[in-house]
Amino acid sequence: MADLTDASHTATDALEESITTATTQAIEAVNATAAKDDLRASGIALLNAAASWAEDNVKVPLKLSKVYTLQATATPTTSIAQFTDLAISFGDGPGELDTMWKSVDRAMSYELQWRLAAAGTWTLAKTANKSRTRLIDLPSAPCIQIRARALGPNDIQGPWSDPGEHLVP
Protein backbone atom coordinates (compact mmCIF):
# COMPACT_ATOMS: atom_id res chain seq x y z
CA MET A 1 0.00 0.00 0.00
CA ALA A 2 2.90 2.32 0.71
CA ASP A 3 4.16 1.79 -2.82
CA LEU A 4 0.77 2.87 -4.18
CA THR A 5 0.74 5.99 -1.99
CA ASP A 6 4.31 6.90 -3.06
CA ALA A 7 3.41 6.40 -6.72
CA SER A 8 0.30 8.54 -6.26
CA HIS A 9 2.33 11.35 -4.68
CA THR A 10 4.95 11.11 -7.42
CA ALA A 11 2.27 11.33 -10.12
CA THR A 12 0.57 14.23 -8.33
CA ASP A 13 3.89 16.07 -8.00
CA ALA A 14 4.66 15.50 -11.70
CA LEU A 15 1.19 16.74 -12.68
CA GLU A 16 1.52 19.85 -10.51
CA GLU A 17 4.96 20.53 -11.98
CA SER A 18 3.58 20.18 -15.53
CA ILE A 19 0.69 22.54 -14.75
CA THR A 20 3.08 25.08 -13.20
CA THR A 21 5.39 24.86 -16.23
CA ALA A 22 2.47 25.27 -18.67
CA THR A 23 1.08 28.23 -16.71
CA THR A 24 4.51 29.89 -16.60
CA GLN A 25 4.92 29.39 -20.36
CA ALA A 26 1.45 30.82 -21.03
CA ILE A 27 2.25 33.93 -18.95
CA GLU A 28 5.58 34.34 -20.76
CA ALA A 29 3.81 34.04 -24.14
CA VAL A 30 1.25 36.72 -23.17
CA ASN A 31 4.07 39.01 -21.96
CA ALA A 32 6.11 38.41 -25.13
CA THR A 33 3.06 39.21 -27.30
CA ALA A 34 2.41 42.41 -25.36
CA ALA A 35 6.09 43.42 -25.73
CA LYS A 36 5.94 42.69 -29.47
CA ASP A 37 2.76 44.76 -29.86
CA ASP A 38 4.31 47.66 -27.93
CA LEU A 39 7.46 47.51 -30.08
CA ARG A 40 5.38 47.39 -33.27
CA ALA A 41 3.35 50.43 -32.17
CA SER A 42 6.58 52.31 -31.38
CA GLY A 43 7.98 51.39 -34.81
CA ILE A 44 4.84 52.60 -36.60
CA ALA A 45 4.88 55.86 -34.62
CA LEU A 46 8.55 56.36 -35.53
CA LEU A 47 7.88 55.70 -39.24
CA ASN A 48 4.90 58.07 -39.23
CA ALA A 49 6.97 60.77 -37.54
CA ALA A 50 9.77 60.31 -40.09
CA ALA A 51 7.30 60.43 -42.99
CA SER A 52 5.68 63.56 -41.59
CA TRP A 53 9.07 65.24 -41.18
CA ALA A 54 10.09 64.23 -44.72
CA GLU A 55 6.81 65.50 -46.17
CA ASP A 56 7.26 68.85 -44.43
CA ASN A 57 10.98 69.29 -45.19
CA VAL A 58 11.82 67.47 -48.44
CA LYS A 59 10.37 69.36 -51.40
CA VAL A 60 11.59 67.08 -54.22
CA PRO A 61 9.23 64.11 -54.66
CA LEU A 62 11.93 62.13 -56.48
CA LYS A 63 14.05 62.10 -53.32
CA LEU A 64 11.10 60.97 -51.22
CA SER A 65 10.24 58.22 -53.69
CA LYS A 66 13.62 56.60 -53.03
CA VAL A 67 12.59 56.03 -49.41
CA TYR A 68 8.78 55.94 -49.42
CA THR A 69 6.11 54.67 -51.75
CA LEU A 70 4.31 57.85 -52.73
CA GLN A 71 0.59 57.90 -53.42
CA ALA A 72 -1.03 60.45 -55.66
CA THR A 73 -3.76 62.52 -54.12
CA ALA A 74 -7.10 61.28 -55.41
CA THR A 75 -8.86 63.76 -57.63
CA PRO A 76 -12.61 63.41 -57.94
CA THR A 77 -14.04 62.93 -61.41
CA THR A 78 -16.08 65.99 -62.29
CA SER A 79 -16.30 65.54 -66.06
CA ILE A 80 -15.75 62.82 -68.60
CA ALA A 81 -14.35 63.09 -72.12
CA GLN A 82 -16.34 62.97 -75.32
CA PHE A 83 -16.67 59.68 -77.09
CA THR A 84 -14.44 59.37 -80.20
CA ASP A 85 -13.79 56.94 -83.02
CA LEU A 86 -17.21 55.28 -83.13
CA ALA A 87 -17.02 52.52 -85.75
CA ILE A 88 -20.15 50.75 -87.01
CA SER A 89 -20.27 47.55 -89.06
CA PHE A 90 -22.78 44.87 -90.07
CA GLY A 91 -23.72 42.31 -87.42
CA ASP A 92 -24.33 38.61 -88.03
CA GLY A 93 -28.04 38.85 -88.76
CA PRO A 94 -30.90 41.12 -89.76
CA GLY A 95 -31.40 44.12 -87.48
CA GLU A 96 -27.89 43.78 -86.01
CA LEU A 97 -24.95 46.18 -86.07
CA ASP A 98 -21.57 45.86 -84.38
CA THR A 99 -20.08 48.95 -82.77
CA MET A 100 -16.68 49.69 -81.26
CA TRP A 101 -14.76 52.72 -80.07
CA LYS A 102 -11.77 53.90 -78.09
CA SER A 103 -12.43 53.55 -74.38
CA VAL A 104 -12.81 56.78 -72.44
CA ASP A 105 -10.68 57.41 -69.35
CA ARG A 106 -12.66 56.87 -66.12
CA ALA A 107 -15.74 55.62 -67.99
CA MET A 108 -17.66 52.96 -66.14
CA SER A 109 -20.09 52.21 -68.98
CA TYR A 110 -21.27 53.53 -72.34
CA GLU A 111 -24.74 54.47 -73.53
CA LEU A 112 -25.67 54.06 -77.20
CA GLN A 113 -28.74 55.52 -78.94
CA TRP A 114 -30.15 55.22 -82.45
CA ARG A 115 -32.63 57.04 -84.68
CA LEU A 116 -33.70 56.95 -88.29
CA ALA A 117 -31.22 59.07 -90.22
CA ALA A 118 -31.69 62.79 -89.60
CA ALA A 119 -35.24 62.32 -88.32
CA GLY A 120 -37.09 61.10 -85.28
CA THR A 121 -36.16 60.95 -81.65
CA TRP A 122 -33.18 59.20 -80.20
CA THR A 123 -33.94 55.76 -78.71
CA LEU A 124 -31.79 53.89 -76.21
CA ALA A 125 -30.12 50.99 -78.01
CA LYS A 126 -27.95 49.61 -75.23
CA THR A 127 -25.78 50.35 -72.22
CA ALA A 128 -22.45 48.52 -72.49
CA ASN A 129 -19.56 47.95 -70.10
CA LYS A 130 -16.92 47.36 -72.78
CA SER A 131 -15.69 49.40 -75.73
CA ARG A 132 -17.49 47.20 -78.23
CA THR A 133 -20.99 45.81 -78.40
CA ARG A 134 -23.59 44.38 -80.77
CA LEU A 135 -26.84 46.27 -81.20
CA ILE A 136 -29.78 43.97 -81.93
CA ASP A 137 -33.44 44.34 -82.85
CA LEU A 138 -32.81 47.49 -84.89
CA PRO A 139 -35.35 48.27 -87.63
CA SER A 140 -34.25 47.45 -91.16
CA ALA A 141 -33.62 50.82 -92.75
CA PRO A 142 -31.57 52.34 -95.54
CA CYS A 143 -29.74 54.39 -92.93
CA ILE A 144 -29.84 54.92 -89.19
CA GLN A 145 -27.75 57.13 -86.99
CA ILE A 146 -26.01 55.95 -83.86
CA ARG A 147 -24.45 58.10 -81.16
CA ALA A 148 -22.81 57.24 -77.87
CA ARG A 149 -21.53 58.74 -74.65
CA ALA A 150 -19.44 57.62 -71.71
CA LEU A 151 -20.93 57.33 -68.24
CA GLY A 152 -18.59 57.91 -65.32
CA PRO A 153 -18.68 57.61 -61.53
CA ASN A 154 -21.24 59.57 -59.53
CA ASP A 155 -23.69 59.57 -62.48
CA ILE A 156 -21.44 61.83 -64.58
CA GLN A 157 -22.48 61.77 -68.24
CA GLY A 158 -20.07 62.65 -71.02
CA PRO A 159 -21.14 64.60 -74.09
CA TRP A 160 -22.72 62.72 -76.99
CA SER A 161 -20.47 61.69 -79.86
CA ASP A 162 -21.04 62.88 -83.39
CA PRO A 163 -23.58 60.50 -84.92
CA GLY A 164 -22.38 57.74 -87.20
CA GLU A 165 -24.59 56.40 -90.01
CA HIS A 166 -25.02 52.85 -91.27
CA LEU A 167 -27.39 50.64 -93.26
CA VAL A 168 -29.34 48.09 -91.21
CA PRO A 169 -30.05 44.82 -93.09
Side-chain angles (χ1 to χ4, degrees), residues 26-66:
I27 291 169
E28 289 172 352
V30 167
N31 291 338
T33 301
K36 177 208 48 110
D37 290 345
D38 290 345
L39 187 59
R40 181 177 183 274
S42 296
I44 289 172
L46 180 63
L47 287 172
N48 286 337
S52 179
W53 179 90
E55 188 175 41
D56 291 342
N57 294 292
V58 179
K59 300 303 178 197
V60 180
L62 183 59
K63 289 181 182 179
L64 283 176
S65 69
K66 291 180 181 180

mmCIF file of all heavy atoms in Angstrom, residues 26-66:
data_model
loop_
_atom_site.group_PDB
_atom_site.id
_atom_site.type_symbol
_atom_site.label_atom_id
_atom_site.label_comp_id
_atom_site.label_asym_id
_atom_site.label_seq_id
_atom_site.Cartn_x
_atom_site.Cartn_y
_atom_site.Cartn_z
ATOM 1 N N ALA A 26 2.576 30.030 -20.518
ATOM 2 C CA ALA A 26 1.452 30.824 -21.030
ATOM 3 C C ALA A 26 1.615 32.287 -20.642
ATOM 4 O O ALA A 26 1.383 33.196 -21.458
ATOM 5 C CB ALA A 26 0.126 30.270 -20.507
ATOM 6 N N ILE A 27 2.027 32.548 -19.411
ATOM 7 C CA ILE A 27 2.246 33.928 -18.948
ATOM 8 C C ILE A 27 3.376 34.568 -19.739
ATOM 9 O O ILE A 27 3.278 35.726 -20.172
ATOM 10 C CB ILE A 27 2.518 33.965 -17.429
ATOM 11 C CG1 ILE A 27 1.243 33.595 -16.667
ATOM 12 C CG2 ILE A 27 3.039 35.323 -16.993
ATOM 13 C CD1 ILE A 27 1.452 33.346 -15.182
ATOM 14 N N GLU A 28 4.458 33.820 -19.981
ATOM 15 C CA GLU A 28 5.581 34.339 -20.765
ATOM 16 C C GLU A 28 5.148 34.648 -22.196
ATOM 17 O O GLU A 28 5.581 35.656 -22.784
ATOM 18 C CB GLU A 28 6.741 33.339 -20.756
ATOM 19 C CG GLU A 28 7.453 33.245 -19.412
ATOM 20 C CD GLU A 28 8.481 32.109 -19.365
ATOM 21 O OE1 GLU A 28 8.544 31.288 -20.316
ATOM 22 O OE2 GLU A 28 9.216 32.041 -18.359
ATOM 23 N N ALA A 29 4.291 33.807 -22.776
ATOM 24 C CA ALA A 29 3.808 34.042 -24.144
ATOM 25 C C ALA A 29 2.963 35.312 -24.200
ATOM 26 O O ALA A 29 3.096 36.125 -25.125
ATOM 27 C CB ALA A 29 3.002 32.839 -24.639
ATOM 28 N N VAL A 30 2.086 35.500 -23.211
ATOM 29 C CA VAL A 30 1.254 36.717 -23.169
ATOM 30 C C VAL A 30 2.146 37.943 -23.026
ATOM 31 O O VAL A 30 1.947 38.951 -23.718
ATOM 32 C CB VAL A 30 0.227 36.622 -22.011
ATOM 33 C CG1 VAL A 30 -0.419 37.973 -21.748
ATOM 34 C CG2 VAL A 30 -0.829 35.573 -22.313
ATOM 35 N N ASN A 31 3.152 37.878 -22.153
ATOM 36 C CA ASN A 31 4.068 39.007 -21.960
ATOM 37 C C ASN A 31 4.882 39.289 -23.219
ATOM 38 O O ASN A 31 5.107 40.449 -23.580
ATOM 39 C CB ASN A 31 4.986 38.764 -20.767
ATOM 40 C CG ASN A 31 4.233 38.812 -19.436
ATOM 41 O OD1 ASN A 31 3.162 39.393 -19.342
ATOM 42 N ND2 ASN A 31 4.792 38.174 -18.413
ATOM 43 N N ALA A 32 5.335 38.226 -23.893
ATOM 44 C CA ALA A 32 6.114 38.407 -25.129
ATOM 45 C C ALA A 32 5.244 39.044 -26.217
ATOM 46 O O ALA A 32 5.698 39.921 -26.960
ATOM 47 C CB ALA A 32 6.671 37.070 -25.605
ATOM 48 N N THR A 33 3.976 38.629 -26.316
ATOM 49 C CA THR A 33 3.064 39.213 -27.302
ATOM 50 C C THR A 33 2.817 40.680 -26.999
ATOM 51 O O THR A 33 2.814 41.522 -27.907
ATOM 52 C CB THR A 33 1.728 38.435 -27.328
ATOM 53 O OG1 THR A 33 1.997 37.070 -27.665
ATOM 54 C CG2 THR A 33 0.755 39.025 -28.331
ATOM 55 N N ALA A 34 2.617 41.016 -25.750
ATOM 56 C CA ALA A 34 2.410 42.414 -25.361
ATOM 57 C C ALA A 34 3.655 43.240 -25.685
ATOM 58 O O ALA A 34 3.539 44.362 -26.199
ATOM 59 C CB ALA A 34 2.066 42.520 -23.879
ATOM 60 N N ALA A 35 4.842 42.705 -25.424
ATOM 61 C CA ALA A 35 6.088 43.421 -25.727
ATOM 62 C C ALA A 35 6.234 43.617 -27.237
ATOM 63 O O ALA A 35 6.625 44.698 -27.701
ATOM 64 C CB ALA A 35 7.287 42.664 -25.161
ATOM 65 N N LYS A 36 5.883 42.593 -28.013
ATOM 66 C CA LYS A 36 5.945 42.692 -29.474
ATOM 67 C C LYS A 36 4.978 43.762 -29.975
ATOM 68 O O LYS A 36 5.324 44.583 -30.821
ATOM 69 C CB LYS A 36 5.613 41.355 -30.126
ATOM 70 C CG LYS A 36 5.589 41.421 -31.650
ATOM 71 C CD LYS A 36 4.684 40.423 -32.330
ATOM 72 C CE LYS A 36 3.324 40.296 -31.811
ATOM 73 N NZ LYS A 36 2.225 40.777 -32.588
ATOM 74 N N ASP A 37 3.749 43.769 -29.450
ATOM 75 C CA ASP A 37 2.757 44.761 -29.857
ATOM 76 C C ASP A 37 3.215 46.175 -29.510
ATOM 77 O O ASP A 37 3.030 47.109 -30.297
ATOM 78 C CB ASP A 37 1.395 44.466 -29.213
ATOM 79 C CG ASP A 37 0.735 43.211 -29.780
ATOM 80 O OD1 ASP A 37 1.174 42.732 -30.848
ATOM 81 O OD2 ASP A 37 -0.215 42.714 -29.134
ATOM 82 N N ASP A 38 3.800 46.352 -28.330
ATOM 83 C CA ASP A 38 4.314 47.662 -27.933
ATOM 84 C C ASP A 38 5.444 48.110 -28.862
ATOM 85 O O ASP A 38 5.503 49.272 -29.265
ATOM 86 C CB ASP A 38 4.821 47.642 -26.478
ATOM 87 C CG ASP A 38 3.686 47.515 -25.468
ATOM 88 O OD1 ASP A 38 2.518 47.728 -25.850
ATOM 89 O OD2 ASP A 38 3.980 47.192 -24.297
ATOM 90 N N LEU A 39 6.344 47.186 -29.189
ATOM 91 C CA LEU A 39 7.461 47.505 -30.075
ATOM 92 C C LEU A 39 6.958 47.853 -31.471
ATOM 93 O O LEU A 39 7.442 48.803 -32.098
ATOM 94 C CB LEU A 39 8.436 46.328 -30.128
ATOM 95 C CG LEU A 39 9.738 46.553 -30.877
ATOM 96 C CD1 LEU A 39 10.512 47.719 -30.266
ATOM 97 C CD2 LEU A 39 10.586 45.292 -30.849
ATOM 98 N N ARG A 40 5.964 47.108 -31.953
ATOM 99 C CA ARG A 40 5.377 47.386 -33.271
ATOM 100 C C ARG A 40 4.741 48.776 -33.279
ATOM 101 O O ARG A 40 4.922 49.552 -34.219
ATOM 102 C CB ARG A 40 4.335 46.325 -33.614
ATOM 103 C CG ARG A 40 3.697 46.508 -34.970
ATOM 104 C CD ARG A 40 2.714 45.361 -35.277
ATOM 105 N NE ARG A 40 2.175 45.493 -36.586
ATOM 106 C CZ ARG A 40 1.112 46.228 -36.903
ATOM 107 N NH1 ARG A 40 0.487 46.906 -35.970
ATOM 108 N NH2 ARG A 40 0.678 46.300 -38.145
ATOM 109 N N ALA A 41 3.979 49.115 -32.252
ATOM 110 C CA ALA A 41 3.345 50.430 -32.169
ATOM 111 C C ALA A 41 4.396 51.537 -32.145
ATOM 112 O O ALA A 41 4.234 52.576 -32.804
ATOM 113 C CB ALA A 41 2.446 50.513 -30.937
ATOM 114 N N SER A 42 5.501 51.319 -31.421
ATOM 115 C CA SER A 42 6.583 52.310 -31.383
ATOM 116 C C SER A 42 7.211 52.463 -32.758
ATOM 117 O O SER A 42 7.525 53.583 -33.187
ATOM 118 C CB SER A 42 7.656 51.899 -30.377
ATOM 119 O OG SER A 42 7.134 51.889 -29.072
ATOM 120 N N GLY A 43 7.403 51.349 -33.459
ATOM 121 C CA GLY A 43 7.976 51.394 -34.809
ATOM 122 C C GLY A 43 7.080 52.142 -35.782
ATOM 123 O O GLY A 43 7.551 52.970 -36.580
ATOM 124 N N ILE A 44 5.787 51.897 -35.720
ATOM 125 C CA ILE A 44 4.844 52.599 -36.601
ATOM 126 C C ILE A 44 4.844 54.092 -36.285
ATOM 127 O O ILE A 44 4.855 54.926 -37.194
ATOM 128 C CB ILE A 44 3.431 51.991 -36.479
ATOM 129 C CG1 ILE A 44 3.413 50.611 -37.133
ATOM 130 C CG2 ILE A 44 2.383 52.901 -37.099
ATOM 131 C CD1 ILE A 44 2.127 49.836 -36.911
ATOM 132 N N ALA A 45 4.845 54.442 -35.011
ATOM 133 C CA ALA A 45 4.883 55.857 -34.623
ATOM 134 C C ALA A 45 6.157 56.523 -35.134
ATOM 135 O O ALA A 45 6.113 57.658 -35.628
ATOM 136 C CB ALA A 45 4.773 55.992 -33.106
ATOM 137 N N LEU A 46 7.285 55.815 -35.041
ATOM 138 C CA LEU A 46 8.550 56.358 -35.533
ATOM 139 C C LEU A 46 8.508 56.561 -37.046
ATOM 140 O O LEU A 46 8.927 57.606 -37.553
ATOM 141 C CB LEU A 46 9.706 55.428 -35.141
ATOM 142 C CG LEU A 46 11.097 55.854 -35.586
ATOM 143 C CD1 LEU A 46 11.474 57.180 -34.916
ATOM 144 C CD2 LEU A 46 12.113 54.786 -35.236
ATOM 145 N N LEU A 47 7.984 55.567 -37.785
ATOM 146 C CA LEU A 47 7.879 55.701 -39.236
ATOM 147 C C LEU A 47 6.946 56.848 -39.625
ATOM 148 O O LEU A 47 7.236 57.611 -40.556
ATOM 149 C CB LEU A 47 7.389 54.392 -39.862
ATOM 150 C CG LEU A 47 8.393 53.249 -39.889
ATOM 151 C CD1 LEU A 47 7.722 51.970 -40.354
ATOM 152 C CD2 LEU A 47 9.572 53.594 -40.788
ATOM 153 N N ASN A 48 5.823 56.972 -38.937
ATOM 154 C CA ASN A 48 4.899 58.067 -39.233
ATOM 155 C C ASN A 48 5.536 59.425 -38.949
ATOM 156 O O ASN A 48 5.347 60.378 -39.714
ATOM 157 C CB ASN A 48 3.598 57.904 -38.448
ATOM 158 C CG ASN A 48 2.718 56.816 -39.006
ATOM 159 O OD1 ASN A 48 2.825 56.452 -40.176
ATOM 160 N ND2 ASN A 48 1.849 56.278 -38.175
ATOM 161 N N ALA A 49 6.287 59.512 -37.857
ATOM 162 C CA ALA A 49 6.967 60.775 -37.536
ATOM 163 C C ALA A 49 8.013 61.096 -38.603
ATOM 164 O O ALA A 49 8.137 62.251 -39.038
ATOM 165 C CB ALA A 49 7.607 60.694 -36.152
ATOM 166 N N ALA A 50 8.750 60.090 -39.045
ATOM 167 C CA ALA A 50 9.767 60.310 -40.090
ATOM 168 C C ALA A 50 9.109 60.718 -41.403
ATOM 169 O O ALA A 50 9.588 61.629 -42.099
ATOM 170 C CB ALA A 50 10.601 59.049 -40.285
ATOM 171 N N ALA A 51 8.014 60.083 -41.752
ATOM 172 C CA ALA A 51 7.304 60.425 -42.989
ATOM 173 C C ALA A 51 6.752 61.841 -42.911
ATOM 174 O O ALA A 51 6.825 62.599 -43.882
ATOM 175 C CB ALA A 51 6.181 59.425 -43.249
ATOM 176 N N SER A 52 6.213 62.212 -41.765
ATOM 177 C CA SER A 52 5.679 63.563 -41.592
ATOM 178 C C SER A 52 6.796 64.597 -41.713
ATOM 179 O O SER A 52 6.643 65.623 -42.376
ATOM 180 C CB SER A 52 4.995 63.673 -40.233
ATOM 181 O OG SER A 52 4.488 64.969 -40.042
ATOM 182 N N TRP A 53 7.936 64.321 -41.087
ATOM 183 C CA TRP A 53 9.074 65.235 -41.177
ATOM 184 C C TRP A 53 9.523 65.351 -42.630
ATOM 185 O O TRP A 53 9.757 66.458 -43.130
ATOM 186 C CB TRP A 53 10.233 64.745 -40.316
ATOM 187 C CG TRP A 53 11.421 65.660 -40.412
ATOM 188 C CD1 TRP A 53 11.704 66.735 -39.631
ATOM 189 C CD2 TRP A 53 12.483 65.588 -41.383
ATOM 190 N NE1 TRP A 53 12.865 67.338 -40.047
ATOM 191 C CE2 TRP A 53 13.371 66.651 -41.132
ATOM 192 C CE3 TRP A 53 12.769 64.728 -42.441
ATOM 193 C CZ2 TRP A 53 14.501 66.878 -41.890
ATOM 194 C CZ3 TRP A 53 13.910 64.968 -43.204
ATOM 195 C CH2 TRP A 53 14.754 66.025 -42.922
ATOM 196 N N ALA A 54 9.639 64.216 -43.322
ATOM 197 C CA ALA A 54 10.092 64.234 -44.716
ATOM 198 C C ALA A 54 9.111 65.010 -45.592
ATOM 199 O O ALA A 54 9.520 65.793 -46.454
ATOM 200 C CB ALA A 54 10.257 62.811 -45.232
ATOM 201 N N GLU A 55 7.823 64.803 -45.377
ATOM 202 C CA GLU A 55 6.813 65.500 -46.170
ATOM 203 C C GLU A 55 6.898 67.014 -45.958
ATOM 204 O O GLU A 55 6.720 67.788 -46.891
ATOM 205 C CB GLU A 55 5.428 64.988 -45.789
ATOM 206 C CG GLU A 55 4.319 65.504 -46.675
ATOM 207 C CD GLU A 55 2.989 64.871 -46.328
ATOM 208 O OE1 GLU A 55 2.692 64.712 -45.119
ATOM 209 O OE2 GLU A 55 2.243 64.538 -47.251
ATOM 210 N N ASP A 56 7.184 67.434 -44.739
ATOM 211 C CA ASP A 56 7.264 68.855 -44.426
ATOM 212 C C ASP A 56 8.577 69.494 -44.886
ATOM 213 O O ASP A 56 8.615 70.694 -45.158
ATOM 214 C CB ASP A 56 7.122 69.088 -42.914
ATOM 215 C CG ASP A 56 5.721 68.771 -42.415
ATOM 216 O OD1 ASP A 56 4.784 68.706 -43.245
ATOM 217 O OD2 ASP A 56 5.567 68.562 -41.192
ATOM 218 N N ASN A 57 9.648 68.718 -44.964
ATOM 219 C CA ASN A 57 10.976 69.294 -45.193
ATOM 220 C C ASN A 57 11.618 68.943 -46.530
ATOM 221 O O ASN A 57 12.513 69.664 -46.975
ATOM 222 C CB ASN A 57 11.922 68.888 -44.062
ATOM 223 C CG ASN A 57 11.485 69.492 -42.748
ATOM 224 O OD1 ASN A 57 11.554 70.696 -42.566
ATOM 225 N ND2 ASN A 57 10.988 68.663 -41.849
ATOM 226 N N VAL A 58 11.224 67.857 -47.157
ATOM 227 C CA VAL A 58 11.823 67.473 -48.439
ATOM 228 C C VAL A 58 10.856 67.883 -49.535
ATOM 229 O O VAL A 58 9.741 67.384 -49.608
ATOM 230 C CB VAL A 58 12.113 65.955 -48.493
ATOM 231 C CG1 VAL A 58 12.700 65.579 -49.834
ATOM 232 C CG2 VAL A 58 13.045 65.557 -47.360
ATOM 233 N N LYS A 59 11.268 68.783 -50.396
ATOM 234 C CA LYS A 59 10.366 69.360 -51.400
ATOM 235 C C LYS A 59 10.502 68.698 -52.773
ATOM 236 O O LYS A 59 9.779 69.052 -53.691
ATOM 237 C CB LYS A 59 10.619 70.861 -51.537
ATOM 238 C CG LYS A 59 10.405 71.630 -50.243
ATOM 239 C CD LYS A 59 9.003 71.431 -49.703
ATOM 240 C CE LYS A 59 8.807 72.153 -48.378
ATOM 241 N NZ LYS A 59 7.665 71.695 -47.645
ATOM 242 N N VAL A 60 11.401 67.752 -52.932
ATOM 243 C CA VAL A 60 11.590 67.085 -54.221
ATOM 244 C C VAL A 60 11.016 65.671 -54.126
ATOM 245 O O VAL A 60 11.582 64.804 -53.449
ATOM 246 C CB VAL A 60 13.092 67.031 -54.598
ATOM 247 C CG1 VAL A 60 13.283 66.348 -55.942
ATOM 248 C CG2 VAL A 60 13.681 68.430 -54.610
ATOM 249 N N PRO A 61 9.868 65.419 -54.763
ATOM 250 C CA PRO A 61 9.230 64.106 -54.656
ATOM 251 C C PRO A 61 10.137 62.944 -55.079
ATOM 252 O O PRO A 61 10.046 61.856 -54.522
ATOM 253 C CB PRO A 61 8.019 64.210 -55.588
ATOM 254 C CG PRO A 61 7.726 65.665 -55.673
ATOM 255 C CD PRO A 61 9.062 66.347 -55.544
ATOM 256 N N LEU A 62 11.035 63.188 -56.031
ATOM 257 C CA LEU A 62 11.926 62.125 -56.477
ATOM 258 C C LEU A 62 12.797 61.617 -55.333
ATOM 259 O O LEU A 62 13.032 60.423 -55.195
ATOM 260 C CB LEU A 62 12.796 62.615 -57.635
ATOM 261 C CG LEU A 62 13.732 61.580 -58.253
ATOM 262 C CD1 LEU A 62 12.923 60.404 -58.793
ATOM 263 C CD2 LEU A 62 14.551 62.195 -59.364
ATOM 264 N N LYS A 63 13.250 62.523 -54.473
ATOM 265 C CA LYS A 63 14.054 62.103 -53.319
ATOM 266 C C LYS A 63 13.214 61.284 -52.349
ATOM 267 O O LYS A 63 13.661 60.279 -51.807
ATOM 268 C CB LYS A 63 14.642 63.324 -52.601
ATOM 269 C CG LYS A 63 15.741 64.012 -53.369
ATOM 270 C CD LYS A 63 16.297 65.182 -52.590
ATOM 271 C CE LYS A 63 17.380 65.908 -53.368
ATOM 272 N NZ LYS A 63 17.886 67.053 -52.624
ATOM 273 N N LEU A 64 11.976 61.714 -52.128
ATOM 274 C CA LEU A 64 11.096 60.967 -51.223
ATOM 275 C C LEU A 64 10.765 59.582 -51.783
ATOM 276 O O LEU A 64 10.650 58.618 -51.035
ATOM 277 C CB LEU A 64 9.791 61.730 -50.979
ATOM 278 C CG LEU A 64 9.859 62.904 -50.024
ATOM 279 C CD1 LEU A 64 8.506 63.609 -49.961
ATOM 280 C CD2 LEU A 64 10.271 62.459 -48.642
ATOM 281 N N SER A 65 10.626 59.489 -53.095
ATOM 282 C CA SER A 65 10.239 58.216 -53.692
ATOM 283 C C SER A 65 11.332 57.162 -53.558
ATOM 284 O O SER A 65 11.059 55.977 -53.715
ATOM 285 C CB SER A 65 9.873 58.406 -55.165
ATOM 286 O OG SER A 65 11.027 58.728 -55.924
ATOM 287 N N LYS A 66 12.554 57.573 -53.247
ATOM 288 C CA LYS A 66 13.623 56.596 -53.033
ATOM 289 C C LYS A 66 13.495 55.934 -51.663
ATOM 290 O O LYS A 66 14.070 54.888 -51.426
ATOM 291 C CB LYS A 66 14.986 57.274 -53.170
ATOM 292 C CG LYS A 66 15.268 57.703 -54.597
ATOM 293 C CD LYS A 66 16.612 58.368 -54.718
ATOM 294 C CE LYS A 66 16.844 58.792 -56.160
ATOM 295 N NZ LYS A 66 18.124 59.436 -56.353
#
